[in-house]
Amino acid sequence: MRSSTVRRLRGFRRPFAIVIAIVVAVAVAGSLPRWWCGRDADEWYRGDPGRARGLAEEVVAFEADDDRWRATGGRDRLVGMWGLLAHQMTALGLAQVVLEHPEWRERYAPVVTRAATKSLLPQLRAEFTSAWQDRDGLADLDSADGHAYLSYPALALGMARLVDPAFPADLAVQHDALIAAFERRLLASPTGLLDTFPGRAYPTDVAAVAAAIAVHGRATGADHTAVIAHWAQRVRAVQIDPGTGLVIQRMGVDGQAQDAPRASGTGLAAYFAGFADRALAEELAAALFRQERGVLGFGAIEEYGDGYDGIGDMDNGPLILGISVSATGFALAPARAFGHRDRFTRLFRTTELFGLSLRSGTRLRFATGGVIGNALLLAFLTSGPELAR
């Protein structure tokens, strides 16, 4: 009797042990990647100097390599909008690092100015010039045309002017003229929209226009209150989809939608809006965060809001089951800037999973994003000190 009972107990323990082993394996499989990919999240959130400086040194090395390449007469290594974006985001990220760590100003401020200046290179905006029938936006400042793509170098120049005591006087004159043109055009627009391409406006680009104007005010003391208020009011009235709270990705300057409201445009607009109007930036961020989807401690942003669908485009990066790679990265900026620690951690885990950060000496880089990915992530992971007060 006793031996049969023992056998039954042993027979019971065997499948029970298997179940326990499966439960443990699943728990480990679920928790290990979450821990591994999130191990640096808190340091980034807190602005750890080692993390910020490591990635800053990586983009500084890119700019130094680019300087040497140009000095030898080499062709552009990054062309078109990608080159413009790489230099612009390098300038923004390094400037934010300087604002948060003023002791590094001497090291990084000159690089901010060099990167911002390169974002004005004609070859980096050739596709826009071509779209405007070969009219260079910088030579067309007296016109009523939007040329909103120039907001990217304009914002970079403003941040350089803000942090670099040696900002060149001739560049300041050019910057002043560009901002004056944007201010005049934006105040004249009943929809608060300026076209990037003829007849095609992107609210995200216009948010960068507003950011550039606001930062110019900080750098020079000029009063741009009226134009910023006009822009913010028009964003709320015209450019935001009332059902989802997301900004419409593409519009006509007449305020008619040409695309759906989408998270990638909203995420980048929330970052840019933070330079100009903190309250509006928080509203856009709240809509963006409603698009977050999570599993096993990883967070990601769905591109299309309820009631909308589509295949996306280059602005959202790859779409994976509706999840936008770009929007997920963009969301890091408002998550950090507006104090969403847990959300930042979830989004960072996903960024780390697909971006794969690597250290080499004092430098840190994200392996899969290349130069542009490093520049973008430096700007988003250090977001906060640029916010309008």
Side-chain angles (χ1 to χ4, degrees), residues 3 30 84 188 217 225 228 259 275 282 301 322 341:
S3 62
L84 192 159
T225 305
I228 297 300
D259 197 348
F275 291 84
E282 289 190 273
I301 303 296
R341 180 189 292 268

PDB file of all heavy atoms in Angstrom, residues 3 30 84 188 217 225 228 259 275 282 301 322 341:
ATOM      1  N   SER A   3       4.106   1.491  -0.874  1.00  0.00           N
ATOM      2  CA  SER A   3       4.928   1.609  -2.089  1.00  0.00           C
ATOM      3  C   SER A   3       4.099   2.091  -3.273  1.00  0.00           C
ATOM      4  O   SER A   3       4.567   2.860  -4.110  1.00  0.00           O
ATOM      5  CB  SER A   3       5.588   0.270  -2.430  1.00  0.00           C
ATOM      6  OG  SER A   3       4.595  -0.701  -2.700  1.00  0.00           O
ATOM      7  N   GLY A  30      10.643  35.780 -20.798  1.00  0.00           N
ATOM      8  CA  GLY A  30       9.961  37.067 -20.828  1.00  0.00           C
ATOM      9  C   GLY A  30      10.708  38.162 -20.099  1.00  0.00           C
ATOM     10  O   GLY A  30      10.698  39.317 -20.523  1.00  0.00           O
ATOM     11  N   LEU A  84      20.800  66.408 -44.725  1.00  0.00           N
ATOM     12  CA  LEU A  84      20.307  67.572 -43.994  1.00  0.00           C
ATOM     13  C   LEU A  84      19.862  67.165 -42.594  1.00  0.00           C
ATOM     14  O   LEU A  84      20.193  67.810 -41.594  1.00  0.00           O
ATOM     15  CB  LEU A  84      19.151  68.197 -44.774  1.00  0.00           C
ATOM     16  CG  LEU A  84      18.644  69.588 -44.354  1.00  0.00           C
ATOM     17  CD1 LEU A  84      17.887  70.242 -45.502  1.00  0.00           C
ATOM     18  CD2 LEU A  84      17.725  69.506 -43.140  1.00  0.00           C
ATOM     19  N   ALA A 188       0.754  85.424 -41.971  1.00  0.00           N
ATOM     20  CA  ALA A 188      -0.162  85.654 -43.095  1.00  0.00           C
ATOM     21  C   ALA A 188      -0.988  84.419 -43.446  1.00  0.00           C
ATOM     22  O   ALA A 188      -1.925  84.510 -44.258  1.00  0.00           O
ATOM     23  CB  ALA A 188       0.622  86.106 -44.323  1.00  0.00           C
ATOM     24  N   GLY A 217      14.170  83.745 -30.838  1.00  0.00           N
ATOM     25  CA  GLY A 217      13.835  84.698 -29.796  1.00  0.00           C
ATOM     26  C   GLY A 217      14.670  84.513 -28.553  1.00  0.00           C
ATOM     27  O   GLY A 217      15.115  85.480 -27.934  1.00  0.00           O
ATOM     28  N   THR A 225       6.201  86.446 -29.718  1.00  0.00           N
ATOM     29  CA  THR A 225       5.024  85.929 -29.017  1.00  0.00           C
ATOM     30  C   THR A 225       3.809  85.817 -29.930  1.00  0.00           C
ATOM     31  O   THR A 225       3.098  84.799 -29.908  1.00  0.00           O
ATOM     32  CB  THR A 225       4.680  86.842 -27.826  1.00  0.00           C
ATOM     33  OG1 THR A 225       5.815  86.986 -26.984  1.00  0.00           O
ATOM     34  CG2 THR A 225       3.523  86.259 -27.025  1.00  0.00           C
ATOM     35  N   ILE A 228       3.982  82.849 -32.524  1.00  0.00           N
ATOM     36  CA  ILE A 228       3.889  81.543 -31.859  1.00  0.00           C
ATOM     37  C   ILE A 228       2.456  81.283 -31.407  1.00  0.00           C
ATOM     38  O   ILE A 228       1.922  80.167 -31.567  1.00  0.00           O
ATOM     39  CB  ILE A 228       4.863  81.454 -30.667  1.00  0.00           C
ATOM     40  CG1 ILE A 228       6.322  81.564 -31.141  1.00  0.00           C
ATOM     41  CG2 ILE A 228       4.656  80.154 -29.898  1.00  0.00           C
ATOM     42  CD1 ILE A 228       6.748  80.492 -32.123  1.00  0.00           C
ATOM     43  N   ASP A 259      -3.747  63.391 -46.324  1.00  0.00           N
ATOM     44  CA  ASP A 259      -3.301  62.125 -45.740  1.00  0.00           C
ATOM     45  C   ASP A 259      -4.068  61.937 -44.439  1.00  0.00           C
ATOM     46  O   ASP A 259      -4.849  62.801 -44.024  1.00  0.00           O
ATOM     47  CB  ASP A 259      -1.790  62.165 -45.502  1.00  0.00           C
ATOM     48  CG  ASP A 259      -1.168  60.779 -45.287  1.00  0.00           C
ATOM     49  OD1 ASP A 259      -1.917  59.802 -45.094  1.00  0.00           O
ATOM     50  OD2 ASP A 259       0.073  60.675 -45.296  1.00  0.00           O
ATOM     51  N   PHE A 275       9.896  73.207 -28.284  1.00  0.00           N
ATOM     52  CA  PHE A 275      10.748  74.388 -28.323  1.00  0.00           C
ATOM     53  C   PHE A 275       9.927  75.679 -28.231  1.00  0.00           C
ATOM     54  O   PHE A 275      10.446  76.707 -27.819  1.00  0.00           O
ATOM     55  CB  PHE A 275      11.540  74.439 -29.637  1.00  0.00           C
ATOM     56  CG  PHE A 275      12.605  73.391 -29.790  1.00  0.00           C
ATOM     57  CD1 PHE A 275      12.311  72.130 -30.260  1.00  0.00           C
ATOM     58  CD2 PHE A 275      13.935  73.681 -29.487  1.00  0.00           C
ATOM     59  CE1 PHE A 275      13.295  71.165 -30.427  1.00  0.00           C
ATOM     60  CE2 PHE A 275      14.931  72.730 -29.646  1.00  0.00           C
ATOM     61  CZ  PHE A 275      14.613  71.464 -30.113  1.00  0.00           C
ATOM     62  N   GLU A 282       2.629  69.072 -25.000  1.00  0.00           N
ATOM     63  CA  GLU A 282       2.078  68.052 -24.099  1.00  0.00           C
ATOM     64  C   GLU A 282       0.776  67.473 -24.644  1.00  0.00           C
ATOM     65  O   GLU A 282       0.505  66.279 -24.477  1.00  0.00           O
ATOM     66  CB  GLU A 282       1.871  68.642 -22.705  1.00  0.00           C
ATOM     67  CG  GLU A 282       3.163  68.918 -21.964  1.00  0.00           C
ATOM     68  CD  GLU A 282       2.947  69.274 -20.508  1.00  0.00           C
ATOM     69  OE1 GLU A 282       2.728  70.460 -20.218  1.00  0.00           O
ATOM     70  OE2 GLU A 282       2.993  68.356 -19.662  1.00  0.00           O
ATOM     71  N   ILE A 301       4.770  52.284 -30.843  1.00  0.00           N
ATOM     72  CA  ILE A 301       3.719  53.213 -31.234  1.00  0.00           C
ATOM     73  C   ILE A 301       3.063  52.773 -32.541  1.00  0.00           C
ATOM     74  O   ILE A 301       3.748  52.566 -33.552  1.00  0.00           O
ATOM     75  CB  ILE A 301       4.279  54.642 -31.391  1.00  0.00           C
ATOM     76  CG1 ILE A 301       4.947  55.107 -30.094  1.00  0.00           C
ATOM     77  CG2 ILE A 301       3.173  55.598 -31.811  1.00  0.00           C
ATOM     78  CD1 ILE A 301       4.016  55.241 -28.907  1.00  0.00           C
ATOM     79  N   GLY A 322       1.451  47.336 -38.263  1.00  0.00           N
ATOM     80  CA  GLY A 322       0.893  48.638 -37.946  1.00  0.00           C
ATOM     81  C   GLY A 322       1.743  49.483 -37.022  1.00  0.00           C
ATOM     82  O   GLY A 322       1.433  50.655 -36.788  1.00  0.00           O
ATOM     83  N   ARG A 341       8.449  58.331 -16.968  1.00  0.00           N
ATOM     84  CA  ARG A 341       9.574  57.413 -16.774  1.00  0.00           C
ATOM     85  C   ARG A 341       9.256  55.990 -17.244  1.00  0.00           C
ATOM     86  O   ARG A 341      10.047  55.370 -17.964  1.00  0.00           O
ATOM     87  CB  ARG A 341       9.979  57.379 -15.292  1.00  0.00           C
ATOM     88  CG  ARG A 341      11.150  56.447 -15.004  1.00  0.00           C
ATOM     89  CD  ARG A 341      11.358  56.278 -13.502  1.00  0.00           C
ATOM     90  NE  ARG A 341      11.826  57.493 -12.878  1.00  0.00           N
ATOM     91  CZ  ARG A 341      13.114  57.799 -12.703  1.00  0.00           C
ATOM     92  NH1 ARG A 341      14.054  56.955 -13.098  1.00  0.00           N
ATOM     93  NH2 ARG A 341      13.454  58.918 -12.112  1.00  0.00           N
TER      94      ARG A 341
END
